[in-house]
């Protein structure tokens, strides 16, 4: 099937690009494929949303009766947690760019569903339940488009009765909007060496639960962030709790994936966080209706790779446009989709195809995206180098000097090693012991996966592929204790012993049907032996309003 533009991923970046293309080039043929069962099914975000992207793309969205965002921020609190309490940092000490005034609280998944309806009204073709599984190249090495995955293939790789062949989608340009650590984006970055002049990309894992709480405890428009406990000082991360609609609370926790202790379990840190005395009372007598986890791109300004290559471009979190201290990326995702669409539309108008849209790559740093990311560029490396207390303080100082004087005393710091290279051998660390928690607010991984509505066709090829099946037991287990079962938020990985008492005859087991598509294993595996590839289209979580 031939199109002017093929877009992989129906998230905020992909749909913003599709809408903008049809706005400026009404005759352009545009298709968007989405591996989730519907637009929004795999979208996971806090979310406090800076409306700059929506305002630019759809100026009248606030007057639309079906608008997805209705709760504006009215109170903004920031805490440093200790185990038994916390210190609220006065707002006047916080850099202005950290303020959430004028932002909206809501569901990014519902924003995406709103954008999908707007895109379809403009004539964009959207195909949900269709995963991009293969890059298509021309004779000169240019990207011609993507092939979608076959449907109805058994675990043994053989076609089943309902086998349906994938199709090739050809475009003059292909935009990759897969989010953090997208499988095709990863291949494109490697093939064209797009990251050769940038710092290693950094990542975090973000957890979220959606709670319905007692109305007397609900404060619509309240935003609360924290850092500190339960994470140790040498482990970066923090929390959020957002009140919106009539009785909904988004509760989340982020762990930076450059942590060093291989016995750390991000999921268990999240569960501990919910027992904190400044969090638990809000949730008591409430009900958790959904759970999810997703990797976040955290490298920012200095880790953004070259965005263009022959035949296409990276947009959104596939490019790495998240603002770490603000914990926001959707506004920049939309802005990048708009920016790329405008440059691609110009290229189409000039009868170009399959070349590099270099103007897009040259424009982003001087755009609102660059103005958002540059002042915070040193927060992540300072935190990584100096730890939570000194590092976060220096990061705050750096944001102030950028805000007041347009400069940093630190220049532009390097990000250091990639996250997978940050683990310390098991023999050199003190193992973290996670006590069994009796609180009703705490869940296990399988119970959490259940409320993520995750489902995969069980008789299909495993989509978590090992380059060498021997590495987990032969290398990772003795050196690091095999960290995959701990860093996975969905009980996908297990080390099973023939004799549990003597820990003999270990086997590495992959329960791929539990996967919530977070990509953490692909990022954090110390041997880089695990590769996440798309399962059969439509598989994975089904988030209703995350």
């Amino acid at each position: 099937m031939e199109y002017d533009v093929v877009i992989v991923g129906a998230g905020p970046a992909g749909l913003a690009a599709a809408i903008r293309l049809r706005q400026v080039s009404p005759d352009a043929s545009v298709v968007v494929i989405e591996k989730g069962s519907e637009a929004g099914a795999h979208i996971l975000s806090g979310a406090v949303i800076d409306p700059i992207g929506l305002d630019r793309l759809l100026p009248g969205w606030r007057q639309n009766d079906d608008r997805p965002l209705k709760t504006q921020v009215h109170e903004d609190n920031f805490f440093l947690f200790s185990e038994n309490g916390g210190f609220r940092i006065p707002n006047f000490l916080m850099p202005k760019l950290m303020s959430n005034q004028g932002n909206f609280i809501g569901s990014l998944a519902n924003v995406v569903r709103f954008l999908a309806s707007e895109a379809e009204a403009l004539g964009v073709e959207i195909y949900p339940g269709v995963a991009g599984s293969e890059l298509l190249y021309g004779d000169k090495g240019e990207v011609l488009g993507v092939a979608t995955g076959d449907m109805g293939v058994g675990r043994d790789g053989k076609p089943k009765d309902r086998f349906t062949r994938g199709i090739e989608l050809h475009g003059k340009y292909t935009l990759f909007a897969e989010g953090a650590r997208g499988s095709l984006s990863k291949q494109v970055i490697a093939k064209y060496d797009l990251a050769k002049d940038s710092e290693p990309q950094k990542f975090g894992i973000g957890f979220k639960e959606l709670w319905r709480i007692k109305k007397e405890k609900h404060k619509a428009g309240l935003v609360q962030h924290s850092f500190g406990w339960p994470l140790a000082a040498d482990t970066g991360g923090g929390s959020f709790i957002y009140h919106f609609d009539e009785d909904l609370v988004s509760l989340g926790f982020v762990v930076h994936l450059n942590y060093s202790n291989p016995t750390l379990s991000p999921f268990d840190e999240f569960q501990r966080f919910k027992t904190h005395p400044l969090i638990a009372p809000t949730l008591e007598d409430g009900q958790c209706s959904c759970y999810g986890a997703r990797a976040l791109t955290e490298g920012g300004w200095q880790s953004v790779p070259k965005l263009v290559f022959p035949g296409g471009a990276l947009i959104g979190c596939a490019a790495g446009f998240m603002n770490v201290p603000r914990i926001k990326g959707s506004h920049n995702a939309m802005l990048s989709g708009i920016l790329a669409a405008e440059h691609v539309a110009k290229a189409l108008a000039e009868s170009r195809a399959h070349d590099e849209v270099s103007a897009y790559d040259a424009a982003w740093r001087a755009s609102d995206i660059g103005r958002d990311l540059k002042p915070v560029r040193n927060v992540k490396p300072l935190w990584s180098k100096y730890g939570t207390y000194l590092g976060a303080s220096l990061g705050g100082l750096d944001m102030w000097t950028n805000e007041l004087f347009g400069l940093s005393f630190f220049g532009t710091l390097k990000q250091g090693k990639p996250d997978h290279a940050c683990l310390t051998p098991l023999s050199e660390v003190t193992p973290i012991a996670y006590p069994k928690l009796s609180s009703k607010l705490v869940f296990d991984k399988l119970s959490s996966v259940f409320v993520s509505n995750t489902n995969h066709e069980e008789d299909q090829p495993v989509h978590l592929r090992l380059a060498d099946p021997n590495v987990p037991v032969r290398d990772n287990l003795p050196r690091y204790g095999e960290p995959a079962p701990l860093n996975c938020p969905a009980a996908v990985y297990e080390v099973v012993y023939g004799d549990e008492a003597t820990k003999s005859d270990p086997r590495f087991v992959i329960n791929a049907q539990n996967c919530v598509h977070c990509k953490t294993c692909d990022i954090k595996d110390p041997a880089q032996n695990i590769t996440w590839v798309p399962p059969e289209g439509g598989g994975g979580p089904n988030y209703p309003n995350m």
Side-chain angles (χ1 to χ4, degrees), residues 410-431:
F410 300 101
T412 298
L413 297 174
K414 295 183 179 299
Q415 294 286 12
K417 297 182 290 187
D419 293 334
H420 72 266
C422 293
L423 283 180
T424 300
L426 191 61
S427 60
E428 300 175 21
V429 304
T430 301

Side-chain angles (χ1 to χ4, degrees), residues 231 235 255 259-269 272 422-435 445 476-488 524:
L231 297 175
T235 303
V255 178
Y259 64 82
S260 60
N261 191 327
T263 67
L264 184 143
S265 168
F267 178 87
D268 288 295
E269 298 290 353
R272 287 209 298 164
C422 293
L423 283 180
T424 300
L426 191 61
S427 60
E428 300 175 21
V429 304
T430 301
I432 301 172
Y434 290 98
K445 287 184 180 180
N476 286 352
L477 186 59
R479 186 167 175 79
Y480 300 108
E482 181 44 70
L486 288 175
N487 65 44
C488 172
K524 190 62 177 173

Side-chain angles (χ1 to χ4, degrees), residues 19-20 23 51-64 67 114-115 118 334 338:
I19 291 170
R20 189 61 182 151
Q23 287 174 338
I52 183 174
L54 271 173
D55 288 340
R56 189 160 301 170
L57 184 69
L58 301 168
W61 74 271
R62 296 171 193 246
Q63 287 73 53
N64 191 319
R67 65 191 183 278
F114 175 74
L115 292 176
E118 294 289 322
M334 293 183 65
I338 294 167

Side-chain angles (χ1 to χ4, degrees), residues 69-152:
L69 299 173
K70 297 180 181 179
T71 304
Q72 280 197 277
V73 175
H74 75 78
E75 186 177 348
D76 198 1
N77 299 332
F78 210 102
F79 285 86
L80 174 61
F81 276 3
S82 62
E83 184 171 359
N84 298 311
F87 168 73
R88 181 182 172 187
I89 300 172
N91 284 10
F92 72 85
L93 291 179
M94 301 296 294
K96 291 183 180 178
L97 56 85
M98 292 287 288
S99 172
N100 283 298
Q101 296 305 312
N103 294 332
F104 287 82
I105 308 172
S107 159
L108 187 61
N110 288 338
V111 171
V112 163
R113 293 181 178 99
F114 175 74
L115 292 176
S117 66
E118 294 289 322
E120 288 179 323
L122 289 170
V124 175
E125 295 181 32
I126 302 177
Y127 296 138
V130 176
S133 64
E134 182 185 352
L135 293 165
L136 304 175
Y137 297 105
D139 295 338
K140 298 178 181 178
E142 73 277 23
V143 171
L144 298 180
V146 299
T148 67
D150 295 337
M151 304 283 282

Side-chain angles (χ1 to χ4, degrees), residues 197-229:
D197 296 323
S198 58
E199 284 293 295
Q201 186 58 266
K202 307 295 284 183
F203 296 92
I205 179 173
F207 299 89
K208 178 180 175 180
E209 291 176 351
L210 187 66
W211 285 74
R212 194 172 296 278
I213 65 171
K214 295 293 184 181
K215 291 187 184 297
E216 60 268 23
K217 299 180 180 182
H218 192 263
K219 301 177 181 179
L222 172 63
V223 166
Q224 180 177 306
H225 292 104
S226 77
F227 64 106
W229 191 89

Side-chain angles (χ1 to χ4, degrees), residues 29 39 58 82 84 102 116 141 168 219 230 319 338 348 365 368 396 444 521:
S29 56
L58 301 168
S82 62
N84 298 311
E168 293 189 1
K219 301 177 181 179
I338 294 167
L348 293 173
R365 291 187 189 272
D368 285 312
D444 61 31
C521 57

